[in-house]
Amino acid sequence: MASRGEERGKAGFGGALARAGYAVAGALAAVFVGWAVSLAFPQPRSGMLAHFVGVVAMGAVLMLWASFKPSRLKGGSSALQALLVLGVVVAVWAVGDYLNSPREMEYVQNPLIWVWTYVFYLFNINLGFVLPASWVLGGNERWSRRPLWRVLVELAFALVMGALIASDSLGFLGTSLPTFVVYQLLFVVGALAAAGVIQRLTCELVRRIRVRSLLA
């Protein structure tokens, strides 16, 4: 017979494997939603509004996916899942590009350079910051139950950022490295705020539906 320690070890390993699978599924769902949004916004508009919307959509999907995952983890475990999400997104994009144009690999002698190109691209377009943060924040039960006034502030900030990005009013921030960092920070915070609003409203709707079903 297996000892209690062995049983707990197997249960812990199985739970960790299940949570890793859930993180992978969430990342794939986010990539699919990002692809669907790209169809709605086929070309970047003025101020890169299409890019902003796509990042928000992927972040919101990951927040919701993390909110409803079977078990919630804290600390390093959540961070590892967030890195796993980012790795899956990099892998999916790299495989997709390779299938579309396999000859590109012939010009790259070191495959690590090819991988690094995708990692750099993800961080350059802010997904490298938004996606892991979305997963970590989405799995926080308090985050999905924050007060209405805070959600309204987030919504207002997200709308202002969307308007500024659409009108290209923040284009002047790209003239130097310090101001570009400020622009990137504003973009990330705005995208997370918009994704957080979607998550909060969806979680509240699901909660009310569940309460009504229990009372019926």
Side-chain angles (χ1 to χ4, degrees):
M1 294 178 63
S3 63
R4 290 185 178 181
E6 291 177 349
E7 291 178 355
R8 290 178 181 176
K10 291 180 180 179
F13 176 76
L17 190 61
R19 289 187 290 268
Y22 206 85
V24 171
L28 294 177
V31 171
F32 175 78
V33 169
W35 170 77
V37 171
S38 69
L39 297 180
F41 294 85
Q43 296 294 332
R45 308 292 177 84
S46 175
M48 297 296 291
L49 178 61
H51 171 53
F52 182 74
V53 173
V55 172
V56 170
M58 295 181 72
V61 168
L62 280 173
M63 276 189 170
L64 288 170
W65 203 274
S67 298
F68 295 105
K69 68 177 184 287
S71 57
R72 305 178 189 280
L73 296 179
K74 299 179 180 180
S77 298
S78 295
L80 289 175
Q81 288 184 77
L83 291 177
L84 178 61
V85 166
L86 188 60
V88 170
V89 174
V90 172
V92 170
W93 282 12
V95 171
D97 285 350
Y98 175 74
L99 293 177
N100 289 331
S101 53
R103 291 185 178 180
E104 290 186 2
M105 279 295 292
E106 298 177 0
Y107 301 99
V108 181
Q109 297 179 354
N110 189 348
L112 292 178
I113 298 178
W114 197 56
V115 174
W116 168 248
T117 301
Y118 282 93
V119 174
F120 178 79
Y121 176 71
L122 275 176
F123 279 95
N124 188 48
I125 64 173
N126 301 300
L127 277 175
F129 297 102
V130 173
L131 296 186
S134 297
W135 183 264
V136 173
L137 293 175
N140 189 331
E141 193 169 356
R142 293 181 180 179
W143 177 265
S144 60
R145 294 182 178 179
R146 59 199 183 282
L148 179 61
W149 67 266
R150 184 175 173 182
V151 178
L152 293 177
V153 171
E154 293 170 351
L155 176 61
F157 180 76
L159 291 176
V160 170
M161 279 300 303
L164 292 175
I165 291 173
S167 61
D168 202 20
S169 299
L170 299 177
F172 69 95
L173 292 177
T175 55
S176 65
L177 181 59
T179 56
F180 180 71
V181 172
V182 173
Y183 172 77
Q184 294 285 82
L185 178 62
L186 290 174
F187 189 102
V188 170
V189 175
L192 288 175
V197 170
I198 297 174
Q199 179 221 28
R200 177 66 178 88
L201 296 179
T202 304
C203 288
E204 181 65 19
L205 178 62
V206 172
R207 187 187 68 82
R208 294 192 178 190
I209 292 175
R210 287 177 176 175
V211 170
R212 289 183 180 180
S213 63
L214 292 174
L215 296 177

